[in-house]
Amino acid sequence: MAVLRSSLDTTTEEYAQNRKVQEAAIAALDEQLEATIAGGGAKYMQRHRDRGKLPVRERLELLLDPDSPFLELSPLAAWGTGFTVGASILTGIGVVSGVECVVIGHEPTARGGAMNPYSLRKTLRALEIARLNRLPVINLVESGGADLPTQAELFVPAGRIFHELTELSGLGIPTVALVFGNSTAGGAYVPGMCDYAVLVDRGAKVFLGGPPLVKMATGEEADDEALGGAEMHSRVSGLSDYFAVDEHDAIRIGREIMTRVNWRKLGPAPAMDPAAPLYDPDEILGILPPGSKVPFDPREILARTVDGSEFDEYKPLYGTSLVTGWARIHGYPVGVLANHRGVLFSEEAKKASEFIMLANQTDTPLIFLQNTTGYMVGAEYEQGGIIKDGAKMINAVTNSTVPHLTINMASSFGAGNYGMSGRAYDPRLMFAWPSAKLAVMGAAQLAGVMSIVGKSSAEAQGKPFDDEADAKRTEAIEAQIEEESHAFYITARLYDDGIIDPRDTRTVLGMSLSAVHNQTVQGRRGYGVFRM
Ligand code: COA
């Protein structure tokens, strides 16, 4: 296979400047990750510990195999919304007793671990990832149920959590609930629907109605233990399969359960000793230009991402604004589609469509590296059939059945987001780099379009046009779109599965590829390779 040769000069002023901008973006990300780790804050964390309980991240650490990596998902969910950063839930993919699992852990220090609309989306996404990739699920349960002030937004869709858990079980994908604390009302159905329920003595409270509600409803006087304690559920109701004497015991039992489920991946494991890239991934920071619209050669990124920097480029002389080719990552064969000069023309769209179909013919997962301003506009291109060609590409992406992994490296604008397998096109996992932007179009363009539309409308109505007011409006719209295009804003709303340090791209893709290979990787048969 051809080996990529880097032409990066790490001694230039430009390289140093680029690094500085990326380091600042990563520092801002790290600051938010710290806030996520802090959960509900020092006061509530201390109270939790004083009650003899482990924080959710310590529960996770004890659950995972020692020194194994954890791919955390959407750690910045709910950022900037008024809810705790992270959305009072911890989700991710980790290895428990040698089995790759999705872990979903409530953050009991943030509003009692209550579920708000963002925690709900994050939970449902984690369950979807489990279903699509055939990953067992372990729930670390301690939650006050629905966030009551926002119940209107979540009560109906929250029913889906139990639907998903049941469906997983129906698909033969194991589900486990380790119940450390509150799991009341609707929450009681988490251990209720899981294949295995482990309840912690004097900690777990699993009931449909607590003492005050029962008193109100029927007049009965009953305490927590009689209504939903671990001992009662282990000896009397039978809801509990395992009685854990304390939190450590529950985690031990959870790890043991995973040794008994006889789990086998349907695809191969990662290569034990894959060839590292020839170039240092750390240098990616100096490659990325500061503005989201400045093009850069994605081969420089691939040279620092794929095994041995080996890349067999497909159609290198045609549709050069999009780079396509074959490589391996941690031993897994992949097809890569990476934007080069941002705009997608007809040639790029057709090349992408063919390439996606070839990957399906050979059951090869696809990696989409986004840096796109969308499909080309203008009379020449419309007359050249850009809509038809973009539609071919979107058709190929939609009907592709091999796993897609998407990374927004710098920009994802317009229908380019769709063609390059954005969220609506079901990538199995999707991440962004911290300085990436995503929107229907760039902020300045959008504000400019609104101004032109306003001027035309005033003219049509014979009204005078106030240029000064227009300038102010344009500035305000531009600022608003700029804010809404920011990677934190996008990830807060679960439009991706998290922001990653660009230097971790190879590792994240390797873990993602390993996760998707729990399921059979099978391309679409029947749409064949038709030349266009
Ligand atoms: N919705 C919104 N906020 C909630 C909440 C919920 N379901 N549960 C707790 N909170 C808030 C509390 O108001 C409190 O806020 P404050 O510190 O600003 O006053 C904070 O979260 C911590 O709650 P606290 O009761 O002090 O924590 P705890 O660890 O002692 O108890 C619970 C946790 C979950 C047992 C308890 O808060 C509770 O019973 N909540 C209501 C549970 C419920 O009925 N849920 C509806 C199920 S559908």
Side-chain angles (χ1 to χ4, degrees):
M1 225 189 236
V3 173
L4 291 167
R5 292 286 162 207
S6 176
S7 58
L8 182 70
D9 183 353
T10 57
T11 61
T12 62
E13 181 56 28
E14 191 189 348
Y15 177 88
Q17 265 317 107
N18 289 349
R19 271 201 83 91
K20 222 182 241 171
V21 173
Q22 284 308 310
E23 278 164 4
I26 293 167
L29 171 64
D30 286 347
E31 196 181 315
Q32 294 310 314
L33 291 175
E34 286 296 322
T36 302
I37 290 166
K43 179 180 127 193
Y44 290 101
M45 199 60 90
Q46 193 54 49
R47 188 177 73 166
H48 188 70
R49 281 192 189 282
D50 291 345
R51 290 168 168 174
K53 296 190 155 217
L54 293 169
V56 65
R57 282 170 194 272
E58 288 181 27
R59 289 173 181 161
L60 173 71
E61 207 171 318
L62 292 165
L63 179 72
L64 298 175
D65 289 358
D67 298 327
S68 66
F70 181 68
L71 180 58
E72 185 164 350
L73 301 171
S74 303
L76 265 52
W79 172 90
T81 63
F83 292 107
T84 314
V85 191
S88 54
I89 194 120
L90 165 67
T91 64
I93 300 170
V95 183
V96 180
S97 304
V99 179
E100 278 162 309
C101 298
V102 164
V103 181
I104 302 175
H106 296 125
E107 173 54 86
T109 65
R111 280 167 88 149
M115 174 154 302
N116 60 57
Y118 296 93
S119 353
L120 173 62
R121 276 195 238 170
K122 189 166 161 179
T123 306
L124 289 178
R125 174 63 182 153
L127 289 167
E128 181 181 53
I129 288 168
R131 174 164 45 77
L132 295 176
N133 300 296
R134 196 177 158 271
L135 294 164
V137 173
I138 301 180
N139 295 279
L140 308 177
V141 183
E142 180 163 19
S143 162
D147 180 85
L148 293 172
T150 52
Q151 65 82 28
E153 278 181 70
L154 56 89
F155 171 57
V156 171
R160 189 79 204 174
I161 296 176
F162 318 123
H163 181 293
E164 287 276 344
L165 284 171
T166 311
E167 196 176 349
L168 286 171
S169 184
L171 291 167
I173 303 171
T175 50
V176 179
L178 307 181
V179 187
F180 300 95
N182 242 268
S183 178
T184 62
Y189 292 106
V190 174
M193 305 321 298
C194 281
D195 293 349
Y196 301 89
V198 182
L199 270 58
V200 174
D201 188 26
R202 307 274 147 194
K205 290 187 183 120
V206 186
F207 36 60
L208 294 182
L213 193 145
V214 170
K215 172 88 181 146
M216 285 295 295
T218 66
E220 183 192 349
E221 304 263 0
D223 63 15
D224 283 347
E225 283 298 309
L227 288 171
E231 179 136 9
M232 186 285 285
H233 279 307
S234 301
R235 290 186 190 281
V236 185
S237 80
L239 172 77
S240 163
D241 305 309
Y242 296 89
F243 174 84
V245 296
D246 58 22
E247 295 202 6
H248 285 83
D249 195 33
I251 294 163
R252 179 189 63 77
I253 296 168
R255 287 184 51 76
E256 220 164 85
I257 289 170
M258 291 320 294
T259 66
R260 303 258 178 260
V261 293
N262 194 19
W263 194 246
R264 276 179 297 256
K265 284 169 81 133
L266 298 180
M272 287 311 284
D273 200 11
L278 300 184
Y279 304 94
D280 189 351
D282 180 65
E283 292 168 354
I284 291 177
L285 301 190
I287 297 168
L288 280 177
S292 62
K293 305 256 177 56
V294 188
F296 58 91
D297 190 343
R299 296 175 194 88
E300 293 287 358
I301 306 298
L302 292 169
R304 290 159 180 82
T305 304
V306 302
D307 292 359
S309 304
E310 289 182 5
F311 186 61
D312 182 6
E313 193 162 344
Y314 170 77
K315 277 193 185 348
L317 304 177
Y318 181 82
T320 54
S321 201
L322 180 79
V323 173
T324 50
W326 311 105
R328 285 183 177 267
I329 296 177
H330 284 271
Y332 290 111
V334 292
V336 179
L337 296 96
N339 300 111
H340 185 184
R341 277 179 293 278
V343 181
L344 292 161
F345 298 88
S346 283
E347 289 81 357
E348 281 72 11
K350 289 188 277 190
K351 171 172 158 177
S353 309
E354 277 185 341
F355 187 71
I356 292 164
M357 288 188 286
L358 284 172
N360 276 269
Q361 293 283 85
T362 55
D363 303 330
T364 307
L366 286 169
I367 312 280
F368 291 82
L369 299 178
Q370 298 180 332
N371 182 20
T372 177
T373 46
Y375 293 95
M376 191 64 193
V377 295
E380 181 188 342
Y381 304 99
E382 299 288 4
Q383 289 164 18
I386 187 75
I387 298 173
K388 284 195 295 173
D389 294 329
K392 287 181 190 116
M393 179 169 169
I394 292 173
N395 184 340
V397 170
T398 303
N399 289 303
S400 163
T401 56
V402 294
H404 296 179
L405 301 173
T406 303
I407 294 185
N408 181 2
M409 299 188 295
S411 63
S412 185
F413 291 110
N417 172 266
Y418 306 157
M420 291 294 290
S421 202
R423 173 57 104 208
Y425 290 81
D426 299 331
R428 294 288 180 88
L429 287 160
M430 177 177 185
F431 301 96
W433 288 354
S435 60
K437 302 247 188 284
L438 183 150
V440 66
M441 63 179 85
Q445 289 83 344
L446 190 147
V449 168
M450 288 304 292
S451 170
I452 293 168
V453 170
K455 216 173 264 179
S456 309
S457 166
E459 260 172 40
Q461 294 174 54
K463 285 188 190 161
F465 187 69
D466 184 342
D467 283 308
E468 208 173 302
D470 176 62
K472 272 200 190 128
R473 214 169 31 236
T474 302
E475 198 180 321
I477 293 175
E478 194 173 332
Q480 178 203 326
I481 303 304
E482 198 61 49
E483 189 188 320
E484 292 173 358
S485 315
H486 193 282
F488 291 2
Y489 186 96
I490 299 300
T491 203
R493 283 155 186 77
L494 281 292
Y495 290 147
D496 57 36
D497 296 313
I499 302 176
I500 59 167
D501 185 323
R503 294 169 292 190
D504 293 336
T505 300
R506 173 173 164 78
T507 305
V508 168
L509 287 175
M511 290 176 74
S512 302
L513 284 163
S514 182
V516 304
H517 280 86
N518 277 273
Q519 183 59 282
T520 309
V521 172
Q522 170 124 51
R524 186 178 185 88
R525 297 287 183 265
Y527 73 1
V529 180
F530 44 96
R531 317 276 304 181
M532 23 193 129

